[in-house]
């Protein structure tokens, strides 16, 4: 540029030959040419242009080298309206100007571009010029790429902020060891119920979290770089309900690997937690209600059961009364089964059933199930065919619960098979499993219903005249209990009126040693019995039933009378209700046992509560037996009979 300036014919310009130029102009040109920073000089009233090599590189072919010696307005006509006020400010002695990232639309390389410049206009002093300003020194830098990059970053930041603001989760960014808010989306602000939190620390915004562990967690993440996951963590702010949050504390890593802050992202799960708590509370109340319902219904069932037993035992020559007794017994059994099913499904759902595993002969359990339902089978005039396996098959299971499974399935077969039908029970040795099938020629199950039959509260659609009762929970109980034995249960049917086959598969175990049971002879004895129950009907009917068996019975309706009779009557067996008005049956039992009234005394708990914890509590109180009302008289035979093992 120095060579171009020297070679230029300046005599054709208002400046004239270089020898006549004022010293301030010469000095400024020398300074401009000696620096690598882009510089431009406008001199005189016509703003004749000089520029250096660095400035030349910012010009396109449209202006270099033609703009050398050109008037400023002619050269920059397309932006003159933008820069003229700035030039006028300097020429009129009002000082320099400074412009950062100024947008100017300039033609370069044939294209009108949006260009950004940071530049200053500074006066060049000349004592001989008007107002003492001979020209303008322009020092500039093109910042187009920098500005476009910043705009891109801001646009990207705006996009992620918009994305975060619209996200269903709450988010914030905490910077530095003090955990200062740099960003927080709308959902985060909603949780805090605050707005102006940026720039403040967490403790400044929500000081309540100091003692709730959150600051310690943030410190740990910031110091170690380990991510923290919080699940349903309570956050207490102010006097309102606690909020429950699922969240992640994620360390923010800079390019050099240093941790600069913590990103917080999560969800407010308060509604879910409170709903879950409410459901648990509802389940707890439901369980309490079911237990109370069972207790309250079992109390009136007890005298009904006792009366049915009395009718069948005392009027054997009267067929009409005998039939009434049988009907009462069957209906009482049905009501008791419904109550037991209700309580069982609740206990199974809450994993409150404990199985007592032992080696079981499957055929033996099946025969007991058949025997239990003998009255129903006789009533429906069904033919039962039991096909045993050639060799005994054993499984590891809970005797009571497996018998319950077989009884429920067999009861269903009886229920949905018309009078005179046939039910086939067969055992199969499948190598690793023992398979039991119970097939009937009853009403069958549609294909659609076969997929739902084990669901809770599901029953086949029936017309009113074919309704067989039940709550739709028996098969669900079977499925759950079988699964608790690591087994499977399934059903198959060719459709309506084509019968059904239920299959239960259980893991097989090896034949245990000493499987032959000891034989017993039973010696029946007349006993002195104290019957204690505040339900007068239940107490009196059970007393009468026991008297029919030849036992000597005395009845008490209160705990106080029971204690008196226990001392004066010296009973051998006490049938004791638990829910007495003045003392609990547990307390009565402990009081009796503490006096050692009779070493051979047998304590029997009769109660409307039959859950495992009730049985355990009775055992701990010293009871020898626990029976849930209404108790079948046949179940009491073990209380009044004493087995004597025969010698080999």
């Amino acid at each position: 540029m120095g060579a171009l300036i020297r070679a230029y014919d300046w005599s054709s310009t208002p400046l004239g030959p270089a020898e006549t130029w004022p010293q301030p102009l010469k000095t400024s040109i020398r300074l401009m040419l000696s620096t690598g920073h882009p510089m431009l000089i406008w001199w005189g009233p016509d703003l004749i242009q000089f520029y250096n090599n660095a400035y030349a590189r910012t010009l396109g072919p449209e202006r270099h080298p033609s703009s050398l010696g050109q008037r400023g307005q002619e050269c920059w006509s397309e932006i003159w309206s933008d820069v003229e006020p700035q030039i006028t400010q300097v020429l009129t002695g009002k000082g320099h100007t400074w412009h950062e990232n100024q947008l100017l639309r300039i033609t370069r390389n044939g294209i009108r571009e949006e260009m950004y410049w940071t530049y200053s206009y500074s006066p060049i002093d000349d004592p001989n010029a008007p107002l003492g300003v001979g020209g303008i020194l322009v020092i500039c830098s093109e910042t187009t790429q920098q500005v476009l990059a910043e705009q891109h970053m801001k646009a990207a930041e705006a996009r992620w902020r918009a994305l975060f603001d619209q996200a269903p989760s709450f988010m914030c960014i905490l910077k530095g060891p003090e955990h200062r808010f740099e960003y927080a989306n709308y959902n985060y602000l909603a949780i805090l119920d605050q707005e102006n939190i940026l720039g403040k620390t967490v403790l400044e915004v929500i000081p309540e979290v100091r003692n709730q562990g959150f600051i310690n967690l943030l410190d740990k993440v910031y110091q170690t770089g380990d991510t923290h996951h919080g699940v349903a963590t309570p956050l207490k702010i102010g006097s309102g309900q606690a909020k429950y949050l699922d969240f992640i504390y994620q360390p923010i890593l800079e390019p050099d690997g240093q941790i600069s802050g913590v990103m917080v992202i999560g969800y407010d799960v308060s509604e879910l937690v409170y709903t879950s708590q409410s459901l648990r509370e509802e389940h707890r109340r439901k369980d309490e209600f079911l237990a109370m319902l069972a207790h309250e219904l079992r109390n009136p069932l007890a005298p009904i059961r006792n009366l049915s037993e009395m009718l069948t035992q005392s009027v054997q020559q009267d067929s009409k009364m005998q039939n009434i007794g049988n009907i009462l017994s069957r209906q009482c059994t049905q009501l008791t089964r419904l109550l037991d099913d209700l309580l069982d499904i609740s206990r199974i759902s809450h994993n409150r059933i404990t199985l007592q595993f032992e080696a079981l002969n499957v055929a033996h359990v099946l025969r007991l199930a058949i025997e239990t339902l003998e009255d129903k089978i006789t009533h429906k005039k069904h033919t039962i065919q039991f096909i045993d396996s050639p060799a005994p098959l054993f499984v590891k299971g809970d005797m009571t619960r497996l018998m319950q499974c077989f009884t429920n399935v067999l009861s269903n077969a009886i229920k949905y098979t018309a009078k005179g039908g046939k039910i086939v029970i067969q055992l199969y040795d499948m190598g690793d499993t023992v398979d039991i099938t119970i097939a009937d020629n009853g009403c069958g199950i549609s294909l659609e219903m076969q997929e739902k039959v084990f669901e809770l509260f599901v029953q086949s659609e029936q017309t009113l005249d074919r309704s067989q009762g039940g709550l739709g929970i028996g098969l669900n109980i079977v499925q759950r209990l079988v699964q608790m034995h690591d087994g499977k249960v399934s059903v198959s049917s060719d459709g309506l009126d084509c019968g059904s086959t239920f299959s239960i598969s259980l893991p097989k175990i090896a034949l245990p040693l000493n499987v032959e049971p000891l034989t017993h002879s039973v010696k029946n004895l007349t006993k002195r019995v104290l019957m204690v129950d505040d339900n007068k009907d239940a107490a009196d009917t059970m007393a009468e039933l026991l008297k029919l068996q030849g036992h000597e019975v005395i009845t008490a309706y209160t705990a106080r009378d029971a204690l008196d009779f226990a001392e004066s009557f010296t009973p051998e067996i006490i049938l004791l209700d638990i829910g007495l008005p003045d003392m609990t049956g547990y307390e009565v039992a402990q009081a009796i046992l503490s006096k050692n009234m009779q070493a051979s005394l047998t304590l029997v708990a009769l109660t409307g509560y039959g859950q495992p914890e009730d049985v355990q509590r009775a055992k701990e109180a010293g009871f020898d037996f626990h029976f849930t009302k209404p108790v079948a008289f046949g179940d009491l035979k073990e209380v009044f009979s004493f087995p004597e093992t025969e010698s080999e």
Side-chain angles (χ1 to χ4, degrees), residues 69-359:
Q70 192 176 18
R71 288 177 172 83
Q73 185 173 0
E74 292 177 1
C75 180
W76 301 108
S77 59
E78 58 195 334
I79 63 169
W80 197 249
S81 60
D82 296 320
V83 300
E84 184 181 25
Q86 304 160 13
I87 294 171
T88 300
Q89 176 181 329
V90 177
L91 291 177
T92 56
K94 295 179 181 179
H96 74 279
T97 67
W98 169 258
H99 307 279
E100 188 171 1
N101 297 327
Q102 176 74 42
L103 172 61
L104 297 171
R105 292 175 175 82
I106 300 173
T107 301
R108 181 168 62 183
N109 299 316
I111 301 173
R112 183 75 177 269
E113 298 182 42
E114 288 189 350
M115 305 170 66
Y116 292 88
W117 295 84
T118 294
Y119 59 92
S120 66
Y121 289 172
S122 302
I124 301 175
D125 296 333
D126 183 358
N128 299 319
L131 302 176
V133 179
I136 299 174
L137 176 64
V138 181
I139 302 175
C140 60
S141 297
E142 185 181 356
T143 59
T144 302
Q145 294 303 317
Q146 176 186 337
V147 170
L148 292 179
E150 289 177 356
Q151 289 178 347
H152 179 75
M153 290 179 63
K154 288 180 179 178
E157 181 179 349
R159 283 195 298 272
W160 70 253
R161 283 181 182 271
L163 180 64
F164 284 6
D165 285 340
Q166 297 169 18
S169 58
F170 63 78
M171 300 180 185
C172 76
I173 292 176
L174 306 173
K175 300 296 285 188
E178 294 181 337
H179 315 304
R180 198 172 296 275
F181 286 102
E182 183 180 77
Y183 166 78
N185 71 352
Y186 297 139
N187 286 334
Y188 191 92
L189 296 175
I191 288 176
L192 303 186
D193 194 23
Q194 298 191 48
E195 293 183 359
N196 300 317
I197 68 172
L198 300 187
K200 299 178 182 178
T201 66
V202 172
L203 283 177
E204 289 172 341
V205 175
I206 38 177
E208 299 97 325
V209 302
R210 181 187 297 274
N211 299 321
Q212 297 182 45
F214 290 95
I215 297 301
N216 291 337
L217 289 174
L218 286 170
D219 288 342
K220 183 178 179 181
V221 172
Y222 186 84
Q223 293 164 7
T224 66
D226 295 331
T227 300
H228 175 79
H229 296 257
V231 178
T233 305
L235 169 66
K236 190 74 170 64
I237 301 177
S239 58
Q241 276 190 319
K243 295 180 183 294
Y244 289 86
L245 309 176
D246 285 353
F247 65 92
I248 297 174
Y249 285 167
Q250 178 70 41
I252 299 174
L253 298 178
E254 297 301 320
D256 61 358
Q258 295 298 311
I259 299 172
S260 62
V262 177
M263 181 174 184
V264 181
I265 181 170
Y267 293 89
D268 185 346
V269 295
S270 302
E271 184 177 353
L272 181 63
V273 170
Y274 283 120
T275 300
S276 177
Q277 290 176 350
S278 177
L279 287 175
R280 285 197 295 271
E281 178 62 17
E282 287 183 13
H283 281 305
R284 185 188 65 79
R285 291 178 180 176
K286 178 201 68 178
D287 291 343
E288 288 180 355
F289 169 76
L290 288 177
M292 185 57 65
L293 175 67
H295 178 267
E296 293 303 315
L297 290 179
R298 280 182 171 129
N299 276 330
L301 282 175
I304 295 173
R305 165 77 78 179
N306 295 339
L307 285 171
S308 69
E309 296 279 1
M310 290 171 63
L311 284 172
T312 56
Q313 292 188 32
S314 63
V315 291
Q316 295 180 3
Q317 304 305 316
D318 189 333
S319 59
K320 183 176 181 180
M321 296 303 291
Q322 183 78 31
N323 187 48
I324 291 174
N326 289 332
I327 292 172
L328 280 173
S329 179
R330 285 196 302 271
Q331 296 306 314
C332 190
T333 299
Q334 175 69 358
L335 281 172
T336 303
R337 187 183 67 80
L338 293 176
L339 287 173
D340 289 340
D341 281 353
L342 273 174
L343 293 176
D344 273 347
I345 197 64
S346 176
R347 289 197 291 264
I348 293 172
S349 297
H350 292 83
N351 296 317
R352 291 208 299 262
I353 283 188
T354 302
L355 300 181
Q356 304 295 327
F357 287 102
E358 59 180 317

Side-chain angles (χ1 to χ4, degrees), residues 382-400:
H382 288 328
T383 300
I384 302 293
Q385 182 181 5
F386 178 42
I387 305 175
D388 198 354
S389 59
L393 299 176
F394 282 80
V395 298
K396 186 178 181 181
D398 184 295
M399 174 71 174
T400 301

